[in-house]
Amino acid sequence: MFFDCHTHTVNSDGKNTVWDMCNSAVNKGISGITITDHATINFYKDHDTFNRIKQSIADTIEAKENFRGKLKVLKGIELGEYTYAPKKADEVLSLGCFDAVLCSVHLVPKAGWSLAYNRIDFSDPSISDSDINEYIKLYFDLLSETVDCFDFDILAHIQCPARYITGKFCRKTNVMLFEEKIGEILEKIIKRNIALEINTARLCSDFGNINFQTEEILKLYKLLGGKMITLGSDAHIESSVACNFSEASALIKKCGFNSLYYFENRQPREILM
Ligand SMILES: [Zn+2]
Ligand SMILES: [Zn+2]
């Protein structure tokens, strides 16, 4: 049975309600879902982040009751851009009561890049291949710094810029050029009992290949002694709940793992595959 540990709703930038996402999870036959709306620290005031996360928690608590016996529904948060304003991030985290806290980086405000990577047009020919590599390097540096800053349970989408640079704009990337930095980040999370998320959004290419060096990252994680993996669809729409989970679990097994995890009350729970 699968557990989707990373989903979004109308309480952040998702298209559907908590109820819709849970209903979709039931229809897809998975055993549980964690609602992890974005705490957008860089847009803290504009997005009314604090109140929207409060609403996300309230809606999730209601769904938890309504889906009891059919689906396990858990409360989470995707804390992005912690380093942008740590005090604000701590304020929203102080709401407590999360089952799972995800850490992510979407914005690398360095070397003239001012937009989040999902808003950058990487097809622009004035962005060279070496600019792209430099951008990915800056991303991993910031991710490594962010990991040190706060207490969380799951490292979300470790190689996410590739989802846009390659997945959306078809520019070549090889995140394993930064294997050393990725290894450093993985070692840190392993030491702190933080799980590695395999983010399944755009995981498979049209030709059935696994994208974004996910296999290489999993092999490195295994080599370094990593054990805890979560699956996250990063669904922003109900139809994407648990997308590519079969492909992801086949890959994870192939890399030598035989269980997956989710977090409840901020404690890891193992599910055998
Ligand atoms: Zn994210
Ligand atoms: Zn997300």
Side-chain angles (χ1 to χ4, degrees):
M1 288 295 268
F2 290 132
F3 208 105
D4 194 338
C5 300
H6 185 163
T7 61
H8 299 282
T9 76
V10 289
N11 291 318
S12 58
D13 59 350
K15 298 273 184 285
N16 293 99
T17 62
V18 173
W19 195 92
D20 293 334
M21 298 303 271
C22 292
N23 215 27
S24 175
V26 171
N27 292 335
K28 297 211 173 179
I30 64 172
S31 56
I33 187 170
T34 311
I35 303 296
T36 55
D37 275 307
H38 287 285
T40 44
I41 302 307
N42 50 321
F43 294 118
Y44 195 74
K45 217 172 156 193
D46 293 351
H47 287 187
D48 195 17
T49 298
F50 187 81
N51 288 317
R52 294 184 77 176
I53 291 295
K54 263 171 87 175
Q55 190 60 51
S56 177
I57 295 167
D59 291 353
T60 306
I61 289 171
E62 196 184 315
K64 190 184 175 109
E65 286 309 312
N66 289 336
F67 284 85
R68 195 175 289 279
K70 284 194 287 188
L71 178 78
K72 198 172 186 81
V73 182
L74 298 176
K75 311 176 293 296
I77 183 171
E78 180 178 2
L79 201 296
E81 284 52 77
Y82 182 92
T83 58
Y84 196 91
K87 275 195 183 151
K88 290 187 173 114
D90 288 339
E91 183 184 63
V92 71
L93 287 172
S94 76
L95 281 167
C97 81
F98 298 109
D99 288 297
V101 175
L102 275 58
C103 165
S104 61
V105 167
H106 308 98
L107 175 71
V108 186
K110 290 181 182 167
W113 303 96
S114 56
L115 296 171
Y117 48 73
N118 66 342
R119 307 239 176 268
I120 299 172
D121 178 5
F122 287 102
S123 66
D124 181 343
S126 72
I127 301 176
S128 69
D129 290 348
S130 69
D131 291 339
I132 284 176
N133 280 336
E134 177 60 18
Y135 183 82
I136 295 173
K137 182 192 174 298
L138 291 171
Y139 164 79
F140 281 123
D141 288 346
L142 181 57
L143 184 64
S144 181
E145 188 191 323
T146 306
V147 162
D148 294 334
C149 289
F150 72 107
D151 180 31
F152 60 95
D153 307 306
I154 300 171
L155 180 62
H157 52 54
I158 187 168
Q159 80 282 45
C160 198
R163 195 206 291 176
Y164 296 92
I165 301 170
T166 299
K168 186 171 176 192
F169 292 110
C170 304
R171 297 286 298 261
K172 262 199 188 136
T173 51
N174 179 2
V175 298
M176 294 314 277
L177 289 173
F178 308 99
E179 181 171 346
E180 207 174 312
K181 190 52 97 174
I182 293 173
E184 177 191 301
I185 296 167
L186 293 176
E187 279 179 333
K188 287 186 199 184
I189 64 167
I190 291 165
K191 231 185 204 165
R192 284 167 54 197
N193 279 323
I194 291 166
L196 175 70
E197 170 188 278
I198 295 304
N199 192 288
T200 61
R202 293 206 182 109
L203 179 72
C204 305
S205 75
D206 295 343
F207 309 105
N209 300 319
I210 297 290
N211 283 327
F212 322 133
Q213 291 80 48
T214 306
E215 182 166 349
E216 289 88 333
I217 292 171
L218 274 168
K219 284 180 176 161
L220 180 59
Y221 182 59
K222 179 82 184 166
L223 186 75
L224 296 171
K227 289 189 172 64
M228 288 199 290
I229 297 172
T230 62
L231 288 182
S233 67
D234 213 347
H236 286 68
I237 183 165
E238 58 189 340
S239 56
S240 295
V241 171
C243 68
N244 297 321
F245 272 23
S246 307
E247 293 84 350
S249 74
L251 175 71
I252 290 163
K253 272 188 204 159
K254 182 183 163 197
C255 293
F257 299 89
N258 47 28
S259 58
L260 289 167
Y261 286 79
Y262 66 92
F263 281 74
E264 184 168 14
N265 248 324
R266 307 214 47 197
Q267 296 301 312
R269 307 259 192 253
E270 189 176 13
I271 324 167
L272 292 175
M273 281 198 281

